[in-house]
Amino acid sequence: MQCSVSVSASPDKTQQQQNIQALIARIQQIQPNTIFLQAFADPDANGSADQVYFENRHITTRDNLFPQALSAIREQTQVQHIYAWLPLIAW
C-alpha cells in the first residue's frame, strides 16, 4: 500500500493528529502487510522533491511528520514492513 504523509500535514497540530488517525483507520480497514510511506514533499508540483518530512542536514524539512506517522502505524496496525518512499533522482 502506498501512503502519502502530505495528506496528513497541517499547520494545526490537532488536525494533523486527526489526519494521522484517519490514515491509521484506512490502513486497518485495508490490512496491508507492506506500506510505502511517502517521506517527501513537492509543494510547487514541479516534479522535484523540494522538502522532506523528517529531520536531516541536507534537504529542507517541511515538518518532522514521518517519524510520527511511522510510530503510529507500527503501534496501531499489523503492518509487517514499512518503507520510506523517496524519489532519489528528483533532487
Side-chain angles (χ1 to χ4, degrees):
M1 177 178 182
Q2 179 179 324
C3 299
S4 176
V5 175
S6 296
V7 295
S8 298
S10 173
D12 178 9
K13 296 301 179 188
T14 302
Q15 182 62 50
Q16 187 169 287
Q17 289 305 313
Q18 290 173 350
N19 294 346
I20 290 174
Q21 288 307 310
L23 174 62
I24 295 297
R26 183 172 160 232
I27 292 169
Q28 289 172 336
Q29 182 180 26
I30 296 172
Q31 298 181 349
N33 64 359
T34 304
I35 289 182
F36 294 89
L37 188 59
Q38 178 183 339
F40 66 93
D42 181 15
D44 56 5
N46 68 353
S48 178
D50 301 316
Q51 301 168 337
V52 292
Y53 288 107
F54 57 90
E55 291 182 355
N56 69 94
R57 62 180 179 204
H58 301 288
I59 304 166
T60 305
T61 302
R62 183 168 187 171
D63 191 356
N64 196 29
L65 186 57
F66 184 84
Q68 295 174 31
L70 180 64
S71 292
I73 293 168
R74 284 184 174 159
E75 292 171 5
Q76 300 177 39
T77 71
Q78 298 298 318
V79 174
Q80 297 172 358
H81 307 285
I82 305 171
Y83 299 99
W85 167 26
L86 292 167
L88 299 180
I89 59 172
W91 277 291

